[in-house]
Amino acid sequence: MGTHRITLTVNRVQEVAEVPSNLTLLDFLRERLALTGTKNGCSTGECGACTVMMNGEPVNSCLVLAVEADGAEILTIEGLAHDGQLDTLQKAFIELTGTQCGFCAPGILISARALLNRNPHPSEAEIRDALRGHLCRCTGYVRIVESIQAAAKAGG
Amino acid sequence: MDEMKHTQKAPYPIGESIPRIDIHAKVTGEAKFTDDLPFGPGLLYGRVLRSPHPHALIKHINVSKALTMPGVRAVVTGADSDEHIGLYLKDRFIFCRERVRFVGDPVAGVVATSEAIADEACRLIDVEYEVLDPVLDPIRGIQPDAPLLHPDLGDYVVADFIQPKPGTNISNHFKVRKGDIEAAWPKCDVIVERSFRVPEVQHVPIETHIAIARVDQNGKITLWSSSQSPFAQRNLISEALGVSQSDIRVIAPYVGGGFGSKAGVSVEGMAVVMARKVPGHPVKMRLTREEEFFCSFVRQGLIAKTRVGATKDGKILAMKTEYYWDAGAYTEYGVNITRASGYSSTGPYNIPNVWADSYCVYTNHPVGGPMRGFGMPEIHWGIEQIMDIVADELGMDKVEFRLKNCLRSGDINVTGMKMHPIGLTECIQKASKAINWGTDEPASAPNKRRGKGLAIMWKAPAMPPNAGSSAWVRLNEDATVSLGIGGQEIGQGTFTVAAQMASAALGVPMDWIRISAPVDTQYSPYEWQTVASRLTWSMGNAIVKAAHNARKQILDIVAKYWDENPEDLDIKDGQVISYKTENSISIENIVVYGLPQPDGAGWQGGPIIGHGNFMPTYVTDLDNETGQGERAVVHYTTGCQAVDLEVNIETGHITILNIASAFDVGKAINPEQVRAQIEGGVGMGASTGILESLQFKDGIPQNISFMDYRIATAVDMPKKVESIIVEVPQDDGPWGARGVGEHPMVPTAPAIANALTAAVGVRILDLPLTPEKVFLALEQKAMTQGKGS
Amino acid sequence: MNLPSPGLPDFDYVSADTSDEVVSLLLKYPNDARLFMGGTDIFLHMRDRLVTPKLLVDVKHLPGMTSIDFDPKSGLRLGAAATLNMIARHQAVVKYYSLLAEAIDAFGMYQLRNRATIGGNLCNASPCADTGPIALVYEASLLAIGPKGERTIPAAEFFLGPGKNALDEGEFLMRIDFPTPPKGCAGRYLKLGRNSAGDLALVSAAVMAYPDESVKSSYSFRLALASVAPTPIRVPAAEAILARDPLTDETIELAANEAEATSRPIDDIRASAHYRKAMVKALTRRGILEVRTMLEKEG
Ligand SMILES: Cc1cc2nc3c(=O)[nH]c(=O)nc-3n(C[C@H](O)[C@H](O)[C@H](O)COP(=O)(O)OP(=O)(O)OC[C@H]3O[C@@H](n4cnc5c(N)ncnc54)[C@H](O)[C@@H]3O)c2cc1C
């Protein structure tokens, strides 16, 4: 099995690594970089817990090979807050209880950030649609939707 | 129960919607779940070879190929642990010996340097089976000629309130005989009889089961696990492996969803047995999503046969029920679900004549475990539909019918217990009003039909009579408070509510409270389990006691210092104040260093630790033959859900437009968290009501992926979810609180079914209400009507 | 029962730079090399051990592989590795190929569509693939490159059965060409899942129509279905009815009946054949009704 040298940016920091072909981006982030905020919930692209931003767009990192991320810019939940400032979405989730057990939240926050980036004023239906790749078993999604609405209102 | 006296007054921050204290960590990726912990390069991985047969004898296992695979460190089989394990009925080996009883039963485990190697090596193990006839249905299971799953049932260790029938597949039979059922039927003007079916479903925590075990050279065990019951795991593993409880340490980080599936022992036992073979090395055992669907626990299936009789003025006189629980291969909790469903079999109705038989039946299906509601969603599926049918036969409005028959404070319930104060009637009125009960509203399109329905519920914490809680509070120099609890944060918000209660009971600001987490059996105080919606109530009582204990110590020192009577002092906002002299002093520092005596005559006091415990001491036995007793349970939480929905008659799809819930929580310690629990319960209830079932073919599960086991997403949720809090205080709860974590999913499915009937006139008795099933029922109805005309 | 592995099995990865490289790798390792673009099918199949390639050839970086071009005369040219989100966002797709946009909207979930490609969806040749019926109603053609050079395969001839497509050994899919849609064309893509959105299709129906003076009803229809046969299918008999008779409710009912009769669904854990057949009828009927309304508005 071959390995590959990759250079990528993760949360605004450049990383260089030697990775085997079958290493997923998810495992690369969790095991090589100890960025464990991104979760593994199914390994099949269904639950959305592993969602990260790749070149500005959300992807299921369980279905991306680490070698494919060569040259990419990756943003994970750990990088969502920066310069000591929480993202508007994080603030809204805190205020409105946008999560319970917290396991799906990192992926949802990344997808929500991507949504507000491409559509700063989404309708409730658009928010729900953007969440359809995220399974949450705790909240019934009510407060997740409300948190995203609040963040959009607060200027995204 | 002196600590309950202040049921009436609710000091700050009781009743306040304080934001969750764990949420900052959870939205920044900081929160550590079990799989997030680092273990270094010594970490090994465990994978398990599982039975492909629902029922078979193990003739021979050959592990030699696996053992010689590079990277493999150890292989374990049933030969490596010979004691039974189990919560109420010890009926299971950690790894199978001689017999496998479900597809997924663990046969062997491999420890290797990577998950992939361990997985590959598992596939190299040869197992020779002698396939046996399986039992795939509980009705089949009780027949005298059914294959026996547990020929040794009579030898198993069992809790005294569980009654297995050796020589059969019945692991528990619970009976209720109240009044004179036979004499009652002739007095009934309407009698309705139906049979209901509930399939197995899975909890689907988004974090799958995971445990890491390490056994040191002295045999001491450390287990990191995603667990709802660190203490119960410690105890069960201790009993099964003959290791002292003190020599097992369970550390339980945040849990990524439990819903019952992470109570008791499942993968943890296997991780420990594997780790024993490689002393010093942590061994990680994580279920894949596919395994999660059938290898940990599932909610048991149920066949419920029910008969209800009422007089023409709408009074229910008699109810007879038979429950056949599809308990699966082993019964970690199933035997007690059988019991709880028996003693709750009437639902929250006042019925003078009751007969119930609840059977827990071994089948060659996955292991039935506890799931949110502990049998109540399953039994209310039938109860609340048959009540609607009876009301229909009587021509009575369904709200009126329920108000006429539901339990009220002081009524005698099915087991002969006098009901404590409950606010069920208020729940029914408020929930039904919220959906404009009684007004017909138009559907949104010509191919849609609209209807409204409701369901009520009750549920008691189902647990041994003496399930205990304990807590400590330790004050730090700056007067922040470390709160030690053994209850687990599984998303329900227990850490936040615990902190609120400690803050209120001690008299310090909320943000001074720190939860001593993660729960660690080596340091944390004992807690039976995080199940049964019992923490706010039971652990809450212990926290209040612990806080009062610390408070008393502080007041005593300050009283001496001021030469006052402690009775005149209070702690408010972190200050000790005197109502008499208006003295005041911050508790900072003095809670660790004490206070000096006058004239340099030494110091008094010392680091403050308060402790408290709680255990219900008033739960009585039930008679084995009649199921009658004085107080079978600590209390019941009750509530009502009302649903307004639309059905697409072309496809059978149900869209819930509005679902209103009202639950009597006694006292909402944190109202927004209560609402969050209700919304989550509604979500899970709607999902299991419309979408979910684990499908089997010859005992083999068919839909063990998210692709084919659909759960509700944001687009499937009801358009509107309204949550109403009713507060009729509980006599034995802190500030009157009782639990509400599980309850909101209990009435959801039958409420949807009742609304479906109102919308399109078909009645579906087996869960779930999939579009296909609804469509076929509509088709059937059209055909019979076509014939009739 | 064969449980999937926890992770992806071992393989080698190579990103191809030229078509020749792809073809020669495919010829050199006919059994061991597999192509991939988004990986959203093949990674799952590998975990399930349905395929066990020793070499994965990433073809999405070949020149032109992700390009999207539109020309009013020749139509839409989609690089096989164009992701579904790229396609759905493209102005020409929004404007002229609304059925394609609608199918993408009904497809999986947003973040998956950032990886899933149209070429992968077609090559995977699943009976439930959402872009299958779309390619059929737009009468797309697929440009394959192989040892003998380029070859164009009409969509109608591309799907051979579940997981089977018309590519020969050594061939790969380079581009999908959608001709300019007929003037005044309207369409709907209706997809039925178990839950409200994001499921694989239990049944789906693509209905397209345009004014056509050469037929009696003055509208030509194209109907295609997914998940009700081993491949996506057109329903010529129903199309003929709609061309022949005025677009009354009765005609529509007849056409829907014909679609139901043409379909050959199976029973599986997702749905029974009986339900699927009924849904073919329901979706076809509704699709035609809605398209009729759209056409009437236009006209
Ligand atoms: C969670 C989830 C949800 C999904 N939902 C849907 C859905 O709603 N509707 C739907 O239709 N599908 C769905 N899919 C399936 C899948 O996403 C699509 O089929 C997708 O379009 C495949 O594209 P890809 O680029 O990821 O394919 P890949 O996995 O990269 O490839 C698919 C197949 O095509 C072959 N191949 C790849 N490139 C070429 C080429 N250039 N030439 C020849 N052969 C090639 C590969 O060897 C493989 O056999 C879903 C999948 C997942 C995981």
Side-chain angles (χ1 to χ4, degrees):
Chain A
M1 172 171 77
T3 62
H4 309 268
R5 192 180 181 77
I6 59 170
T7 307
L8 69 171
T9 317
V10 179
N11 299 333
R12 298 170 284 275
V13 175
Q14 200 186 61
E15 305 281 354
V16 181
E18 196 73 31
V19 296
S21 301
N22 68 346
L23 186 72
T24 61
L25 177 59
L26 171 63
D27 288 342
F28 172 73
L29 294 168
R30 289 181 55 84
E31 287 163 18
R32 296 292 187 85
L33 303 185
L35 293 171
T36 56
T38 306
K39 306 299 183 200
N40 182 353
C42 70
S43 304
T44 54
E46 291 274 359
C47 78
C50 69
T51 305
V52 302
M53 210 94 88
M54 185 167 171
N55 300 325
E57 282 285 327
V59 295
N60 295 306
S61 64
C62 73
L63 293 183
V64 177
L65 302 178
V67 43
E68 290 183 87
D70 187 24
E73 248 177 61
I74 305 292
L75 182 80
T76 72
I77 185 67
E78 287 90 346
L80 196 54
H82 62 97
D83 304 331
Q85 275 290 310
L86 289 177
D87 190 280
T88 327
L89 280 157
Q90 290 170 313
K91 287 185 200 152
F93 272 62
I94 291 173
E95 201 169 316
L96 298 174
T97 312
T99 189
Q100 292 185 21
C101 84
F103 201 78
C104 68
I108 287 181
L109 282 157
I110 293 292
S111 268
R113 170 67 12 247
L115 170 67
L116 296 189
N117 288 352
R118 67 180 183 268
N119 180 1
H121 303 289
S123 65
E124 180 180 335
E126 286 168 331
I127 293 173
R128 287 183 182 273
D129 196 65
L131 291 175
R132 85 187 195 210
H134 293 276
L135 299 179
C136 166
R137 196 60 155 169
C138 296
T139 63
Y141 307 95
V142 177
R143 277 156 212 266
I144 298 175
V145 174
E146 286 170 0
S147 301
I148 298 171
Q149 284 173 320
K153 224 182 211 160
Chain B
M1 291 191 228
D2 62 335
E3 72 280 1
M4 322 299 177
K5 274 193 203 122
H6 47 180
T7 294
Q8 298 314 322
K9 62 173 181 202
Y12 188 86
I14 299 303
E16 298 292 324
S17 292
I18 307 284
R20 297 178 66 109
I21 61 177
D22 55 347
I23 198 163
H24 189 282
K26 286 177 174 177
V27 301
T28 51
E30 284 295 330
K32 292 289 176 234
F33 295 80
T34 305
D35 199 24
D36 302 340
L37 304 177
F39 288 91
L43 179 65
L44 299 175
Y45 297 83
R47 289 285 299 157
V48 167
L49 176 71
R50 300 177 178 282
S51 167
H53 304 294
H55 198 189
L57 296 177
I58 301 174
K59 287 293 162 194
H60 185 69
I61 303 183
N62 184 345
V63 302
S64 55
K65 269 185 270 170
L67 262 178
T68 53
M69 184 168 163
V72 170
R73 294 297 164 81
V75 178
V76 301
T77 65
D80 292 287
S81 62
D82 61 357
E83 286 297 322
H84 281 100
I85 190 166
L87 183 67
Y88 295 114
L89 176 61
K90 296 198 187 303
D91 60 1
R92 184 165 45 117
F93 292 114
I94 293 175
F95 284 95
C96 295
R97 295 164 67 88
E98 286 170 31
R99 190 189 286 256
V100 293
R101 297 181 175 88
F102 72 101
V103 173
D105 221 353
V107 173
V110 174
V111 182
T113 51
S114 78
E115 214 177 18
I117 294 173
D119 189 70
E120 211 51 59
C122 277
R123 296 169 197 262
L124 298 179
I125 297 174
D126 287 325
V127 187
E128 196 187 309
Y129 295 100
E130 179 187 329
V131 173
L132 302 175
D133 273 350
V135 172
L136 300 176
D137 180 281
I139 302 281
R140 169 78 186 120
I142 55 165
Q143 282 157 9
D145 65 337
L148 274 193
L149 271 77
H150 292 266
D152 301 334
L153 181 55
D155 301 334
Y156 294 165
V157 178
V158 61
D160 57 9
F161 51 91
I162 304 298
Q163 299 162 64
K165 303 274 168 268
T168 75
N169 286 317
I170 298 170
S171 53
N172 192 18
H173 177 194
F174 181 85
K175 296 177 218 169
V176 176
R177 309 287 184 256
K178 181 192 177 196
D180 185 348
I181 193 106
E182 289 312 322
W185 297 123
K187 296 182 197 142
C188 298
D189 300 300
V190 164
I191 295 177
V192 173
E193 198 168 336
R194 291 288 187 283
S195 186
F196 300 89
R197 260 180 187 268
V198 178
E200 276 113 329
V201 299
Q202 219 271 331
H203 311 67
V204 194
I206 307 303
E207 175 203 39
T208 59
H209 276 68
I210 174 157
I212 297 104
R214 183 178 180 279
V215 180
D216 73 13
Q217 310 237 352
N218 295 322
K220 288 195 181 178
I221 298 168
T222 308
L223 181 67
W224 294 262
S225 70
S226 176
S227 171
Q228 294 179 236
S229 358
F231 286 90
Q233 284 183 347
R234 183 180 75 160
N235 192 43
L236 294 176
I237 292 171
S238 151
E239 288 175 357
L241 300 184
V243 180
S244 160
Q245 277 90 351
S246 305
D247 293 336
I248 302 179
R249 176 179 178 191
V250 181
I251 302 170
Y254 282 124
V255 174
F259 314 106
S261 72
K262 291 170 183 167
V265 170
S266 57
V267 299
E268 302 79 12
M270 297 172 220
V272 170
V273 170
M274 289 194 273
R276 281 204 303 199
K277 287 258 176 157
V278 286
H281 285 277
V283 176
K284 183 185 281 196
M285 161 94 192
R286 190 180 71 87
L287 295 189
T288 62
R289 175 56 57 190
E290 292 81 5
E291 288 174 301
E292 185 74 21
F293 275 110
F294 68 109
C295 299
S296 61
F297 293 122
V298 301
R299 188 171 87 178
Q300 306 184 113
L302 173 66
I303 296 172
K305 298 184 177 176
T306 303
R307 189 172 196 228
V308 175
T311 59
K312 57 176 174 293
D313 61 345
K315 176 78 194 113
I316 306 171
L317 282 191
M319 181 165 187
K320 183 172 182 187
T321 306
E322 289 162 41
Y323 290 141
Y324 300 94
W325 289 98
D326 187 340
Y330 310 98
T331 69
E332 188 79 346
Y333 289 80
V335 285
N336 199 30
I337 293 170
T338 301
R339 183 174 191 269
S341 60
Y343 68 60
S344 306
S345 62
T346 54
Y349 292 90
N350 186 349
I351 305 177
N353 305 290
V354 183
W355 179 293
D357 288 292
S358 184
Y359 300 94
C360 193
V361 187
Y362 283 123
T363 64
N364 296 106
H365 276 161
V367 184
M371 180 168 157
R372 193 177 200 168
F374 208 73
M376 297 305 111
E378 300 93 301
I379 67 170
H380 284 74
W381 169 248
I383 296 169
E384 282 305 282
Q385 289 206 69
I386 203 160
M387 292 305 175
D388 253 35
I389 301 172
V390 172
D392 267 338
E393 300 260 315
L394 290 164
M396 240 175 120
D397 175 77
K398 282 132 192 162
V399 168
E400 194 193 326
F401 179 70
R402 286 184 172 81
L403 286 173
K404 189 172 177 97
N405 288 288
C406 75
L407 281 168
R408 291 174 159 75
S409 315
D411 284 351
I412 301 300
N413 78 9
V414 48
T415 58
M417 165 176 162
K418 187 170 162 202
M419 288 302 291
H420 49 78
I422 58 167
L424 179 55
T425 51
E426 192 181 336
C427 292
I428 298 174
Q429 280 152 346
K430 289 192 163 157
S432 55
K433 184 158 175 256
I435 63 155
N436 296 321
W437 183 261
T439 45
D440 280 338
E441 284 166 90
S444 66
N447 60 338
K448 298 200 174 147
R449 301 287 178 273
R450 189 157 170 187
K452 297 178 185 181
L454 83 164
I456 62 177
M457 64 74 64
W458 71 343
K459 181 187 182 298
M463 53 191 194
N466 56 345
S469 296
S470 57
W472 47 250
V473 295
R474 190 189 76 203
L475 286 102
N476 304 309
E477 292 87 335
D478 61 358
T480 54
V481 180
S482 302
L483 173 60
I485 51 176
Q488 181 58 309
E489 179 56 69
I490 62 172
Q492 82 283 47
T494 208
F495 283 1
T496 305
V497 166
Q500 282 179 265
M501 292 193 285
S503 155
L506 195 53
V508 302
M510 171 75 188
D511 59 4
W512 290 11
I513 311 285
R514 305 284 187 280
I515 304 291
S516 289
V519 175
D520 179 338
T521 59
Q522 184 155 302
Y523 304 112
S524 304
Y526 177 86
E527 181 66 54
W528 179 62
Q529 300 196 51
T530 298
V531 296
S533 307
R534 57 184 281 283
L535 289 191
T536 302
W537 160 77
S538 178
M539 187 175 83
N541 281 330
I543 291 169
V544 170
K545 267 199 194 171
H548 284 176
N549 178 265
R551 182 175 175 278
K552 180 168 184 309
Q553 296 174 47
I554 298 167
L555 293 185
D556 282 349
I557 309 166
V558 177
K560 272 200 193 135
Y561 181 62
W562 284 343
D563 197 16
E564 288 200 50
N565 186 340
E567 307 278 286
D568 297 325
L569 308 189
D570 201 352
I571 306 179
K572 283 248 165 342
D573 227 13
Q575 303 273 322
V576 178
I577 54 167
S578 164
Y579 291 118
K580 203 166 167 194
T581 61
E582 295 189 3
N583 266 337
S584 87
I585 183 170
S586 161
I587 66 169
E588 246 178 77
N589 292 319
I590 65 175
V591 289
V592 172
Y593 302 120
L595 282 164
Q597 304 212 47
D599 308 327
W603 287 66
Q604 48 177 313
I608 303 286
I609 294 190
H611 60 88
N613 65 17
F614 174 79
M615 187 179 89
T617 51
Y618 39 85
V619 175
T620 60
D621 285 349
L622 293 176
D623 182 86
N624 278 349
E625 290 310 310
T626 64
Q628 301 297 295
E630 197 183 319
R631 189 167 183 178
V633 298
V634 291
H635 57 252
Y636 280 93
T637 299
T638 57
C640 175
Q641 257 164 14
V643 168
D644 180 2
L645 57 70
E646 270 185 355
V647 185
N648 181 328
I649 56 169
E650 285 175 349
T651 63
H653 272 86
I654 293 172
T655 306
I656 300 176
L657 304 173
N658 188 4
I659 177 161
S661 311
F663 286 90
D664 174 15
V665 302
K667 170 75 193 172
I669 305 291
N670 184 323
E672 283 306 310
Q673 296 308 321
V674 170
R675 290 192 189 97
Q677 284 306 297
I678 295 178
E679 293 155 7
V682 162
M684 208 165 186
S687 187
T688 51
I690 295 177
L691 291 168
E692 299 178 36
S693 69
L694 202 53
Q695 294 167 265
F696 294 94
K697 186 164 180 270
D698 305 325
I700 303 171
Q702 301 293 302
N703 55 333
I704 53 169
S705 70
F706 281 137
M707 193 64 95
D708 284 317
Y709 187 107
R710 310 296 295 172
I711 69 169
T713 67
V715 288
D716 298 308
M717 275 298 291
K719 301 263 173 285
K720 189 171 164 209
V721 179
E722 196 174 333
S723 309
I724 300 159
I725 295 172
V726 170
E727 294 181 313
V728 175
Q730 181 59 39
D731 57 2
D732 65 346
W735 293 283
R738 54 174 96 78
V740 71
E742 299 165 276
H743 311 74
M745 86 173 282
V746 173
T748 316
I752 297 169
N754 288 340
L756 172 74
T757 305
V760 292
V762 301
R763 172 80 51 203
I764 294 177
L765 305 180
D766 56 333
L767 198 66
L769 303 166
T770 58
E772 170 159 3
K773 218 184 274 172
V774 172
F775 179 83
L776 294 180
L778 287 168
E779 207 179 43
Q780 187 70 37
K781 182 182 160 215
M783 265 165 60
T784 36
Q785 278 177 352
K787 269 187 208 135
S789 61
Chain C
M1 91 177 314
N2 183 23
L3 273 179
S5 328
L8 287 173
D10 280 358
F11 56 83
D12 250 328
Y13 166 94
V14 55
S15 176
D17 297 323
T18 65
S19 303
D20 289 349
E21 191 184 344
V22 177
V23 173
S24 66
L25 283 169
L26 287 176
L27 291 178
K28 191 164 165 201
Y29 307 105
N31 298 318
D32 290 337
R34 287 295 293 256
L35 308 183
F36 91 102
M37 300 192 295
T40 62
D41 277 316
I42 198 157
F43 293 166
L44 271 62
H45 295 165
M46 286 164 66
R47 264 193 83 229
D48 288 340
R49 295 165 179 253
L50 299 175
V51 293
T52 50
K54 296 214 174 70
L55 179 68
L56 273 193
V57 185
D58 187 346
V59 292
K60 62 181 161 287
H61 303 295
L62 296 177
M65 204 66 175
T66 53
S67 60
I68 303 179
D69 298 302
F70 176 71
D71 176 282
K73 283 211 188 80
S74 53
L76 183 69
R77 297 183 153 197
L78 299 175
T83 68
L84 295 173
N85 278 347
M86 291 166 57
I87 297 169
R89 267 196 294 269
H90 199 277
Q91 275 317 305
V93 175
V94 175
K95 213 163 157 192
Y96 304 112
Y97 300 88
S98 66
L99 268 158
L100 180 56
E102 213 179 341
I104 293 173
D105 199 46
F107 188 112
M109 48 284 276
Y110 184 83
Q111 73 268 45
L112 182 90
R113 302 195 301 256
N114 276 330
R115 291 275 298 171
T117 65
I118 184 153
N121 195 232
L122 296 170
C123 289
N124 192 55
S126 160
C128 69
D130 282 308
T131 64
I134 305 301
L136 291 182
V137 294
Y138 282 115
E139 299 183 343
S141 53
L142 292 84
L143 180 75
I145 296 186
K148 295 182 205 141
E150 291 187 4
R151 165 166 91 103
T152 297
I153 310 168
E157 292 164 23
F158 187 72
F159 309 105
L160 304 183
K164 286 204 196 89
N165 61 41
L167 293 174
D168 285 333
E169 199 149 291
E171 271 189 329
F172 74 97
L173 180 67
M174 176 69 208
R175 210 175 70 207
I176 304 109
D177 293 349
F178 284 71
T180 312
K183 212 163 175 269
C185 130
R188 284 302 322 264
Y189 181 69
L190 298 179
K191 173 176 174 179
L192 188 83
R194 288 158 291 191
N195 59 321
S196 344
D199 197 3
L200 296 176
L202 298 180
V203 174
S204 74
V207 179
M208 185 222 252
Y210 54 93
D212 184 351
E213 291 312 323
S214 74
V215 302
K216 273 203 193 144
S217 73
S218 44
Y219 291 109
S220 271
F221 271 80
R222 296 180 195 163
L223 302 182
L225 304 169
S227 267
V228 294
T231 66
I233 52 169
R234 279 280 285 267
V235 197
E239 292 174 5
I241 292 172
L242 295 165
R244 186 187 66 203
D245 299 331
L247 269 189
T248 61
D249 289 356
E250 294 73 44
T251 310
I252 293 175
E253 193 68 17
L254 275 181
N257 284 338
E258 198 55 51
E260 181 178 359
T262 309
S263 67
R264 290 172 286 140
I266 53 163
D267 285 314
D268 63 17
I269 51 161
R270 292 176 189 159
S272 68
H274 176 86
Y275 180 61
R276 283 195 165 105
K277 270 198 166 276
M279 291 306 101
V280 167
K281 181 170 171 182
L283 263 54
T284 313
R285 186 205 294 120
R286 177 143 300 275
I288 303 171
L289 281 170
E290 290 183 14
V291 168
R292 180 177 70 179
T293 309
M294 293 163 89
L295 290 169
E296 281 167 356
K297 255 193 213 143
E298 286 296 304

